[in-house]
Amino acid sequence: MSLACHFRCLSAQAFEILLLFSWLSCGILNGCKNGGVAPPEVTTLDTTSHTFIWKVDTLGDGNASVLYDVAIVNDTLAYAVGEIYLKDSTGQIDQQPYNLMQWNGTRWNFTRIALQLYNSDCSVAGTYFGRTVAIIAFSDGNVIFSDGGDVIKMNGTIYSHLACSNPVRNGAFTKFWGLSVDDFYAVGYTGTIVHYSSGNWQKLESGTNLPILDIWGAVNSVGELEILALASNGFTPPAVKQVLQIRGAAVDRVNDAGLANILSTVWFVPSQRYFIGGDGLFTNATIGPSWQPISYPSYYTYRIRGVYANDIVVAGGNGFLSHYNGVGWHHYALAGELPMFTGNYYAVAISKRIVVAVGGV
């Protein structure tokens, strides 16, 4: 093996949901996976390894099981959200889905969380078991997830519903990004951008009615928080897009020249490299100039995430998954290392040791 460590290779049968893991199980030797180079010291990127050992897990017994988002806490803890349908004791498909999946380093465990419905005055209108669409996890193990309306905070095995967001959001939430369970942003349909801080929701005027499909933020070299959000009506014509920058309570448009109109995702390392993906993959060294297309196979990009600017993964249509190591891209399906399929990876998460991509077929 090319790396100085031991790889544990796992396999599984395919059925409804494909989840991919890159797990380097290292012993006492160093160099198993270059952890990337942290900003701002780097001027020339080192490279990280494209070598991954993939485990394909499949969840669900049918009924259009699908996963929409994923978050990694540590090497032995990850979460995914969506709707997973399993057979009941009679062998029939249970019509109530499991909507929170937890990976414990060995296997996936399923939880069915009761979601709350709210009236316009934020009184509880009822509960139901349905799909969840967005999740974010923090290093302290605390997790925030949502069906788009109800927002649930998990601490260990304790679940609590955060204050109703009806007065400040225009449409259902699609993605989260934040610094902690008490300080995060949520974006969604009809131009929704809200900030949750210490129990309070604050509406940010986005200046758009487009669906906001992704958000990412990071602290730059001078200690300032940079946050970008990506708005696009996706595959609904006429195709329109906007790139938004959030500064405190202000939201401003960023130059979107050079971008395709159908877009889904944004990710960046401040002052090093900014990426936007969808119908193509685009990059910039700073915020403001025109975006430049990356030479990349013509598979739709649903999500891009990274650890550093030299350790990035892209997940997309037809089972397409790629890794950037600081110099070039490696496409696992085209290399025959992962299967192509008639479905999509809708989300991907990466840490220094693990990659998890989720979707449905």
Side-chain angles (χ1 to χ4, degrees):
M1 297 180 182
S2 60
L3 296 182
C5 61
H6 170 68
F7 294 85
R8 187 166 79 172
C9 185
L10 304 170
S11 63
Q13 295 295 317
F15 191 78
E16 287 289 334
I17 304 301
L18 297 182
L19 296 93
L20 301 182
F21 297 84
S22 161
W23 187 4
L24 304 186
S25 179
C26 302
I28 61 174
L29 299 179
N30 295 321
C32 292
K33 180 169 181 283
N34 188 325
V37 181
E41 297 82 7
V42 62
T43 56
T44 301
L45 291 180
D46 291 333
T47 59
T48 54
S49 176
H50 288 315
T51 303
F52 294 88
I53 298 301
W54 297 102
K55 175 187 177 183
V56 180
D57 276 347
T58 59
L59 309 181
D61 293 328
N63 204 32
S65 294
V66 63
L67 296 176
Y68 296 106
D69 205 1
V70 62
I72 297 172
V73 176
N74 55 46
D75 288 355
T76 58
L77 182 58
Y79 295 92
V81 290
E83 48 188 332
I84 300 297
Y85 295 89
L86 301 178
K87 292 180 180 178
D88 60 22
S89 58
T90 68
Q92 302 300 309
I93 299 294
D94 193 330
Q95 297 304 305
Q96 290 187 333
Y98 292 86
N99 50 17
L100 180 65
M101 279 50 71
Q102 176 182 332
W103 180 68
N104 62 10
T106 303
R107 64 186 298 270
W108 287 92
N109 297 306
F110 308 99
T111 305
R112 184 182 281 140
I113 304 297
L115 304 166
Q116 290 185 346
L117 297 168
Y118 295 95
N119 295 312
S120 59
D121 63 357
C122 281
S123 59
V124 177
T127 61
Y128 78 110
F129 295 101
R131 70 176 186 176
T132 46
V133 298
I135 189 167
I136 186 171
F138 300 94
S139 59
D140 58 7
N142 289 327
V143 178
I144 300 291
F145 61 98
S146 176
D147 65 339
D150 191 13
V151 180
I152 298 173
K153 174 182 177 180
M154 183 179 68
N155 187 352
T157 58
I158 300 174
Y159 302 90
S160 58
H161 302 266
L162 297 187
C164 167
S165 61
N166 279 357
V168 296
R169 64 180 174 87
N170 302 321
F173 295 139
T174 56
K175 290 294 294 183
F176 296 119
W177 179 86
L179 300 172
S180 74
V181 293
D182 294 314
D183 184 7
F184 64 87
Y185 293 82
V187 297
Y189 291 98
T190 324
T192 291
I193 303 178
V194 298
H195 182 208
Y196 180 85
S197 179
S198 301
N200 297 309
W201 295 101
Q202 178 188 9
K203 181 177 182 178
L204 279 62
E205 296 296 339
S206 66
T208 183
N209 288 321
L210 291 173
I212 302 179
L213 303 179
D214 201 11
I215 181 173
W216 185 260
V219 178
N220 64 22
S221 59
V222 295
E224 298 172 339
L225 188 61
E226 290 187 16
I227 306 174
L228 293 180
L230 191 282
S232 171
N233 58 355
F235 300 99
T236 303
V240 183
K241 85 287 189 177
Q242 292 181 13
V243 184
L244 307 173
Q245 184 171 19
I246 300 169
R247 295 188 180 100
V251 180
D252 301 305
R253 288 191 63 175
V254 173
N255 183 15
D256 57 21
L259 294 173
N261 286 325
I262 303 175
L263 299 168
S264 291
T265 186
V266 59
W267 182 85
F268 62 90
V269 176
S271 305
Q272 286 194 36
R273 187 57 58 184
Y274 299 78
F275 293 92
I276 286 177
D279 185 12
L281 193 60
F282 306 86
T283 189
N284 228 333
T286 60
I287 298 175
S290 297
W291 296 83
Q292 302 301 312
I294 294 173
S295 179
Y296 193 83
S298 57
Y299 293 90
Y300 190 81
T301 297
Y302 280 99
R303 195 71 64 219
I304 181 168
R305 291 293 184 262
V307 181
Y308 300 115
N310 61 345
D311 199 6
I312 302 168
V313 287
V314 169
N318 299 108
F320 207 74
L321 193 79
S322 300
H323 177 255
Y324 180 73
N325 71 347
V327 174
W329 293 89
H330 183 74
H331 312 299
Y332 295 96
L334 294 186
E337 298 167 37
L338 288 174
M340 303 290 285
F341 59 91
T342 56
N344 304 311
Y345 293 126
Y346 295 116
V348 67
I350 180 173
S351 69
K352 291 182 180 180
R353 292 169 59 91
I354 300 171
V355 173
V356 186
V358 302
V361 298

